[in-house]
Amino acid sequence: MSRPAISSSAGSLPGDPPGGRRALAVWGVGVSVYFVAVIFRTSLGVAGLDAAERFQVGASALSTFSILQLLVYAGMQIPVGLLVDRLGTKKVLTLGILLFTAGQIGFALSPSYGTALASRALLGCGDAMTFISVLRLGSRWFPARRGPMVAQMAGLVGMTGNLISTLLLARLLHGVGWTAAFLGSSVAGLVVLVLTLLFLKDHPEGHEPEPFPHHGAAYVRRQIAASWREPGTRLGMWVHFTTQFPAMVFLLLWGLPFLVQAQGLSRGTAGELLTLVVLSNMLVGLVYGQIVARHHAARLPLALGTVLATAAVWAATLLYPGEHAPMWLLIVLCAVLGACGPASMLGFDFARPANPPERQGTASGITNMGGFVASMTTLFAVGVLLDLTGDDYGIAFSAVFVLQALGLSQIFRLRGRAARRERERLVASRVETVHVPA
């Protein structure tokens, strides 16, 4: 005999964390760490020209700063997911703060290109420990129904860090100089370290997770393989790959040189356009979040629409027949690039339903690697092409279209299989919910 289960979709599930003000306060400490990490991560975006002059390097060597940082970040995603499950959020975030603050201090004091490169690698390692930790912290402190909104808000706070980097650090850099600006910004790392040590807790009382047993390397391999076999995980990774990198490359390094050197803008005007990218990201993130919350099927159309719009505006900008693109077109470009970050978050919405709870960290790590691998590849390609062509940004930025075409081909290849698998899981879940033993 069976009986209908009581639906809990409108309320908290049994065993759900309570949420509330204390949850918001603890989560606020965790997300402040991510906020500072993004400031440090994107600080090179407003200092690219200064770095080239300070270390006497060309475009290829300059791009290596960001490439190495992203390489470390991408390579750490799966290990960090496993580490958070094993050690807890507080320990991993504390380690991350120590690493990215040491990296920022090292970058400020570096006397040579080599030591500056090592500092950015250290920063990337610490940065890699923040986002997945903050996602995990939200799931431990808030009810499951709040998960998507909590993740979206974490992304918005991260973009605020990008905004601070674009506005404040750029002014500090040209006001007090390289060493004082980067060394002064590292104080923020020390502040969040104190807050984390004093106030952050992994979970509320009475909601301790099950002990994480040591399964060894074989278990890790099985987790990764099982996640990768799911078409939804791979689709999520390719959505992240295809949508995130144009804005990441623009903000992280090449946007300011492109606007100043190729488009003839002043640094102040270029900085305002970079700020527009960040503001657009925050606004579009809210819109995309609301749309997907109401219409789950809108995930893929939003992602594809963002890719096509980005490609169209990039092509119009690079192929404009005049010496410089008009300001209205550059404004449209920056506004459209702002949609790339929110679109990349849709990748997690494909990976999440494709994997059971015990594989969510691994699946999120695989998904998160996509956009950073694409960004790293494009940063390198643009730097090499600039050196080979004598700073021809039209040819250099054409690398964007190559990676978009690759990503779109994989999205179209996987979308059918991922949709069928998701429907199968949904039907099975409904059957298990309705038929509960008496």
Side-chain angles (χ1 to χ4, degrees):
M1 182 178 179
S2 65
R3 62 174 182 267
I6 297 174
S7 174
S8 59
S9 60
S12 297
L13 297 171
D16 252 0
R21 292 182 179 179
R22 188 171 180 220
L24 188 60
V26 173
W27 178 81
V29 172
V31 82
S32 69
V33 177
Y34 179 55
F35 170 77
V36 173
V38 172
I39 293 176
F40 291 2
R41 178 201 302 172
T42 57
S43 59
L44 188 61
V46 297
L49 296 177
D50 299 85
E53 181 180 348
R54 179 180 177 87
F55 300 113
Q56 296 296 302
V57 295
S60 297
L62 182 61
S63 66
T64 304
F65 278 124
S66 297
I67 291 168
L68 180 60
Q69 183 179 331
L70 293 182
L71 177 63
V72 172
Y73 186 102
M76 287 288 292
Q77 289 309 292
I78 294 175
V80 166
L82 296 168
L83 202 61
V84 171
D85 287 337
R86 188 73 183 278
L87 300 179
T89 302
K90 183 171 184 174
K91 291 181 180 178
V92 175
L93 276 181
T94 300
L95 179 59
I97 296 168
L98 292 172
L99 290 173
F100 69 60
T101 302
Q104 189 76 342
I105 293 173
F107 197 57
L109 302 175
S110 291
S112 66
Y113 175 73
T115 54
L117 202 61
S119 297
R120 294 306 286 187
L122 193 63
L123 192 155
C125 186
D127 181 20
M129 298 183 175
T130 58
F131 186 64
I132 291 179
S133 296
V134 170
L135 290 180
R136 175 63 176 269
L137 189 68
S139 69
R140 291 298 186 191
W141 278 90
F142 292 94
R145 70 183 187 279
R146 302 292 186 195
M149 181 58 68
V150 170
Q152 183 64 34
M153 291 305 298
L156 289 176
V157 172
M159 288 312 299
T160 306
N162 200 329
L163 186 64
I164 294 297
S165 177
T166 303
L167 294 177
L168 183 59
L169 189 59
R171 292 185 179 181
L172 282 175
L173 188 64
H174 300 116
V176 299
W178 177 282
T179 301
F182 281 100
L183 201 58
S185 67
S186 66
V187 174
L190 302 178
V191 171
V192 294
L193 175 62
V194 172
L195 291 175
T196 299
L197 293 174
L198 292 180
F199 301 112
L200 193 138
K201 291 191 64 176
D202 287 343
H203 46 73
E205 290 80 1
H207 292 271
E208 293 81 1
E210 293 293 325
F212 188 86
H214 179 68
H215 294 283
Y219 170 77
V220 173
R221 288 194 296 269
R222 286 196 299 270
Q223 285 284 90
I224 296 172
S227 295
W228 183 254
R229 279 196 298 268
E230 290 292 344
T233 303
R234 283 175 282 146
L235 178 60
M237 185 197 73
W238 283 108
V239 167
H240 200 270
F241 176 101
T242 314
T243 53
Q244 187 200 47
F245 79 93
M248 177 70 74
V249 168
F250 200 78
L251 289 172
L252 201 59
L253 183 60
W254 291 122
L256 188 69
F258 169 74
L259 293 172
V260 173
Q261 295 178 343
Q263 298 303 318
L265 302 180
S266 67
R267 288 194 181 206
T269 303
E272 291 172 357
L273 287 174
L274 293 179
T275 303
L276 176 60
V277 178
V278 178
L279 293 174
S280 173
N281 185 301
M282 297 170 72
L283 177 61
V284 174
L286 290 174
V287 174
Y288 277 18
Q290 292 297 321
I291 292 175
V292 174
R294 290 173 170 79
H295 308 285
H296 202 55
R299 294 170 299 171
L300 196 57
L302 286 175
L304 293 176
T306 302
V307 174
L308 295 177
T310 304
V313 179
W314 256 126
T317 303
L318 297 177
L319 297 176
Y320 191 78
E323 183 179 358
H324 301 305
M327 179 57 70
W328 68 264
L329 184 55
L330 295 177
I331 290 173
V332 172
L333 172 66
C334 291
V336 171
L337 285 175
C340 292
S344 72
M345 294 296 288
L346 299 173
F348 297 100
D349 289 325
F350 289 102
R352 191 180 302 113
N355 292 272
E358 62 270 18
R359 287 208 309 263
Q360 288 295 321
T362 305
S364 295
I366 292 173
T367 300
N368 208 28
M369 286 175 61
F372 289 95
V373 169
S375 298
M376 178 177 58
T377 304
T378 309
L379 284 167
F380 177 73
V382 169
V384 170
L385 289 172
L386 284 174
D387 281 343
L388 291 176
T389 61
D391 291 340
D392 188 325
Y393 280 90
I395 295 175
F397 273 121
S398 296
V400 170
F401 305 119
V402 177
L403 270 75
Q404 285 181 323
L406 172 62
L408 285 173
S409 69
Q410 296 302 312
I411 290 172
F412 283 117
R413 183 176 69 86
L414 291 164
R415 61 175 182 166
R417 277 181 279 172
R420 286 193 297 272
R421 185 77 171 123
E422 190 170 310
R423 285 195 297 269
E424 292 169 1
R425 283 185 178 275
L426 182 61
V427 170
S429 176
R430 286 174 175 172
V431 170
E432 291 176 2
T433 302
V434 172
H435 297 288
V436 179

